[in-house]
Amino acid sequence: MRLRAHPVALALVAGIALPVTACSSGAEEARVVRAASAPDTAGVCEPPSVVGTLPAPLLEASGIARDPRDSNVFWVHNDSGNPAELYAVDGQANLRAVVPVRDATDRDLEDIAVGPCPEGACLYLADIGDNLAVHGSIVIHRLPMPALPEAATSGGDATERTDSGDASVRPEVSWWFVYPAGPRDAESLAIDGNHGELILVTKGREDVVELYAAPLDSLASGSGRANTLRRIGRLQIPIGGGTSQLVTGADLSPDGTRLVIRNYTTLYEFDWDGSAAFDTLAIPRHTSLLAALEPQGEGVAWNNEGTELLLVSEGRGGRPPSLSRMSCPGA
């Protein structure tokens, strides 16, 4: 059933409209009252600036994650219909390496995140896209960190690509998940190392943006052993009739205290102290992404210092994929 706007439901909070359903409960009415009295939620991040054009192979760039070993390396991947590969890109949008991902599902890869593992740090690759909400399960792979490209560590010529040869990676473990109330479309993954959990944010096709979590230390692996995600609740992110408000990426700051979620036009930031403590009525800070002039904005990642965000966009309509940067000095 499609949600309809309540006659008093569009409470404007620093430019954010918060929808409430026509058959809203008292709790939902409380959301509006709380939103209307909330303080200014202007963003603590500055508007983005375009860094440059991503390499041609990343025409459908979807996810981006920092490399904790090197502040000038970010791992990017494409959307569905492309080879399962990781691309090392530096902060100037130069291609440094291409790393094939072997033996992993790649039905609809949508996001990537960095998080803890027995080796120290790993990449988490999310095969979670489901535009029509028809798939019975989704998969998240934990990958070892690929070898660093030489140019990233040796200060080599930024115009040269470092070939990683046969240095492919394979999942150390793969986890299958199901949503408690049936399939959802999602494109956003974050890993909370402080609390040992993975975080998924739905795209909003059900007229609400939902937050889900799962503990990393008690997951069953293998295709025949699906884990049920825990629904945390709906987020105070507006969803309208168009596609510009569909959520396309998320990331958690290196210190684990700032959760950012993006759609095609806006970046939202929530305070974070684990899913158990998260207040689903919290009104996020927000910053417009329109200055990035993205053809189709998809991914977001913090830098290692937690002071900047990197944004990636698909190419669209003859416009190339792009990398943008925004400064986020702190709340």
Side-chain angles (χ1 to χ4, degrees), residues 108 110-113 124-129 137-141 175-180 184-192 197-204 208-216 219 227-235 247 249-252 259-261 272 275 278:
D108 195 356
E110 289 291 356
D111 206 2
I112 189 170
Y124 291 71
L125 186 61
D127 190 2
I128 58 176
S137 62
I138 58 174
V139 188
I140 297 177
H141 306 285
W175 299 294
W176 273 253
F177 294 93
V178 296
Y179 292 94
R184 298 286 190 271
D185 188 22
E187 296 190 3
S188 307
L189 169 72
I191 302 297
D192 182 354
E197 56 187 355
L198 61 84
I199 307 299
L200 287 179
V201 184
T202 64
K203 195 167 183 176
V208 293
V209 177
E210 298 174 302
L211 185 72
Y212 290 85
L216 289 171
L219 296 177
N227 303 274
T228 301
L229 293 161
R230 179 169 59 93
R231 186 181 186 272
I232 307 304
R234 62 176 292 180
L235 295 175
V247 171
D251 198 22
L252 195 61
L259 176 67
V260 292
I261 298 171
W272 186 261
S275 64
F278 184 73

Side-chain angles (χ1 to χ4, degrees), residues 296-318:
Q296 183 173 312
E298 292 286 340
V300 60
W302 287 95
N303 67 354
N304 283 341
E305 295 72 31
T307 57
E308 291 183 337
L309 290 170
L310 277 292
L311 309 171
V312 293
S313 171
E314 288 189 11
R316 177 76 53 163

